[in-house]
Amino acid sequence: AQKVTQAQTEISVVEKEDVTLDCVYETRDTTYYLFWYKQPPSGELVFLIRRNSFDEQNEISGRYSWNFQKSTSSFNFTITASQVVDSAVYFCALSEGTTSGTYKYIFGTGTRLKVLA
Amino acid sequence: DGGITQSPKYLFRKEGQNVTLSCEQNLNHDAMYWYRQDPGQGLRLIYYSQIVNDFQKGDIAEGYSVSREKKESFPLTVTSAQKNPTAFYLCASSQGFSTYNSPLHFGNGTRLTVT
């Protein structure tokens, strides 16, 4: 079955530390997309990044970087030099087609990151 | 600015009453979704709609109903049949239903408390 696992329920770091959030997925499809979303205390999920299954290049955006490894079915997210504003719940998600021709998103249970000043 | 508006932000109801959560988007997106978020359980899909006048059940549709009479609107009704309705409800939309690489855009959510 399709599944997204975020084993880290909560992580606490001190400001300026680097932190990596883990995401492991399971899918039968050869074509799929992976996403990361941030949910700040306001509640709205904010899209951070999308990666397709054929693109294994790592990506860096400012202090954020993502490491996609198809061989281990992982799509990990690293925040460098964390800041208090990074405190949020982070969700990893998988999008894939279904047999009925539609598609669905499957979310992990989220990792709560607390960055302490 | 384009976005998704959910109202109200907080909603309180007595057990046994139906309640409707509003979701409006001005992003011109075809697909809309309702998710439920409970502590430690991530997001679970309730219903989704890929086009006006059409919608499909998600993973936890029992006790919920939806309508999609307009492209911009996708209200969710939590009925008295829903055994544990207290939760945080998130509405989302995405561009097009034929491609699954579209990121979801979310509203700010409605926190429903039923006592």
Side-chain angles (χ1 to χ4, degrees), chain B:
Chain B
D1 282 344
I4 298 179
T5 301
Q6 289 187 245
S7 61
K9 190 171 178 64
Y10 298 97
L11 192 53
F12 298 89
R13 280 293 183 270
K14 293 289 187 186
E15 196 172 326
Q17 292 180 335
N18 291 354
V19 59
T20 297
L21 282 59
S22 169
C23 177
E24 303 278 333
Q25 55 103 353
N26 61 3
L27 299 166
N28 199 33
H29 284 172
D30 288 313
M32 296 187 74
Y33 311 79
W34 274 105
Y35 286 91
R36 170 180 171 140
Q37 184 177 14
D38 295 284
Q41 294 197 46
L43 277 68
R44 293 183 290 168
L45 182 63
I46 305 173
Y47 267 98
Y48 64 103
S49 168
Q50 296 176 326
I51 201 167
V52 175
N53 292 323
D54 186 46
F55 47 83
Q56 286 80 39
K57 292 182 179 179
D59 300 318
I60 55 165
E62 185 175 349
Y64 300 97
S65 66
V66 294
S67 63
R68 187 86 186 276
E69 297 175 3
K70 298 186 300 182
K71 188 176 184 177
E72 306 79 26
S73 179
F74 191 41
L76 173 74
T77 296
V78 184
T79 74
S80 56
Q82 167 50 233
K83 291 185 170 58
N84 186 19
T86 295
F88 187 55
Y89 291 87
L90 284 158
C91 180
S93 70
S94 68
Q95 189 175 28
F97 63 88
S98 59
T99 58
Y100 48 94
N101 62 340
S102 301
L104 295 173
H105 296 256
F106 285 87
N108 284 330
T110 293
R111 190 167 298 280
L112 173 65
T113 302
V114 177
T115 57

Side-chain angles (χ1 to χ4, degrees), chain A residues 29 31-33 35 37 39 42-45 47 50 91 95-97 100-105 107-110, chain B residues 9 31 33 35 37 40-43 48 50 59 88 90 94 96-104 106-108:
Chain A
D29 282 12
T31 302
Y32 52 89
Y33 284 81
F35 304 80
Y37 291 86
Q39 185 180 38
S42 60
E44 176 184 355
L45 271 77
F47 165 69
R50 167 185 55 208
F91 289 94
S95 171
E96 59 182 12
S100 62
T102 61
Y103 61 98
K104 61 188 295 185
Y105 298 85
F107 284 82
T109 52
Chain B
K9 190 171 178 64
Y33 311 79
Y35 286 91
Q37 184 177 14
Q41 294 197 46
L43 277 68
Y48 64 103
Q50 296 176 326
D59 300 318
F88 187 55
L90 284 158
S94 68
F97 63 88
S98 59
T99 58
Y100 48 94
N101 62 340
S102 301
L104 295 173
F106 285 87
N108 284 330

